[in-house]
Amino acid sequence: MTITSDGNRTYGYDDLPGLMSLMTGDEKHGPAATSTLDALWVLYDRVLRVTPELRDDPARDRFLLSKGHGPMAYYAVLAAKGFVPVDWLSGFGSYDSPLGHHPDRVLVPGAEIGSGSLGHGLPIAVGSALGLRAQGLHDPAVWVLIGDAELDEGSNHEAIAFAGPAGLERLHTIVVDNSSASHARPGGIAARFEAAGWSAVTVDGRDHEALYAAFTARHPGRPHVVVARVEPKNA
C-alpha cells in the first residue's frame, strides 16, 4: 500500500493477502478463492476497461464471476481497485454485510451478476455478448471466470457450442483449473473449446506475464478462452 500526495491510499498485488486476511467470517471455500487471485489481479490491473467511476458506462468492459462460491479474492481485488471500501472486508459474510458468501450484483459495486450456482456464468456471458452486439456496442469486451468443475455442467457445454459458430469475438472466458472437475476431457480443457471454434490457450495461472499475454492475444472472429492452471485443490 502507498499513500499518494493527496492522501489517498493505493493498493498493489502484494497487498492482496492482507486484504483477504481481513475477511474472517465463516468461509468454506478457501481454495476456490485463492485459485483465482492472480487471474483476477492481472485482469483488473492491466486488461479490463472499467473503473469505479465508469461501472455504469455502457461502453465499459463486463466481468462476470461465475466461480462465485469463493469470492474473497474477488472482494479483495474490488477493494484494492476502489470499487468497494476496504472497511467492508472485515464484515464479510455477516448478516448485515453487502459482501456475502456469494456476490450480489445489487449490493456489491462493480459486480455484474449474482453468482455462485455453478454453470450459470458462461451462458449469461454469451447472452451479454449477444446483447451488446445487438445494440451495436462492438467495443466492450465480456469476460467470465469459471472453475474447471463448472465444466461438469451441461449448461456450459451448450454455451461453448453456441458461442463459437456465433462468432462472439468480444467474449472471453477464463477457466481456473485446480483439478477439481469430476469428469476428464480427452485432449484437455482447451481442446473442448477449440472443437467448438474457440481460440484457446493454456498457461500457468500464477504467472502474471503469461496471463497478460494470453488475455490480450488476438482472436479475430472467434471467442477466446484462457485455461489458467494452478495447484490442485487438494494438494
Side-chain angles (χ1 to χ4, degrees), residues 168-191:
L168 296 181
E169 181 178 337
R170 303 304 291 158
L171 174 63
H172 307 76
T173 299
I174 305 166
V175 181
V176 174
D177 179 8
N178 66 351
S179 302
S180 58
S182 298
H183 306 294
R185 287 160 202 85
I189 293 173

Side-chain angles (χ1 to χ4, degrees), residues 110-122:
E112 296 282 355
I113 60 171
S115 59
S117 294
L118 299 183
H120 287 183
L122 183 52

Side-chain angles (χ1 to χ4, degrees), residues 87-161:
D87 59 13
W88 282 13
L89 299 178
S90 61
F92 165 69
S94 62
Y95 176 76
D96 57 352
S97 172
L99 304 183
H101 290 166
H102 294 214
D104 185 330
R105 66 174 297 274
V106 177
L107 300 177
V108 182
E112 296 282 355
I113 60 171
S115 59
S117 294
L118 299 183
H120 287 183
L122 183 52
I124 295 173
V126 169
S128 298
L130 282 171
L132 289 169
R133 188 165 73 179
Q135 296 175 69
L137 296 171
H138 300 294
D139 289 332
V142 177
W143 289 82
V144 57
L145 188 151
I146 70 176
D148 61 316
E150 290 191 73
L151 294 175
D152 293 340
E153 304 292 336
S155 54
N156 275 334
H157 289 281
E158 293 181 10
I160 294 167

Side-chain angles (χ1 to χ4, degrees), residues 72-86:
M72 292 186 295
Y74 182 48
Y75 292 154
V77 170
L78 288 179
K81 291 302 180 181
F83 288 88
V84 303
V86 170

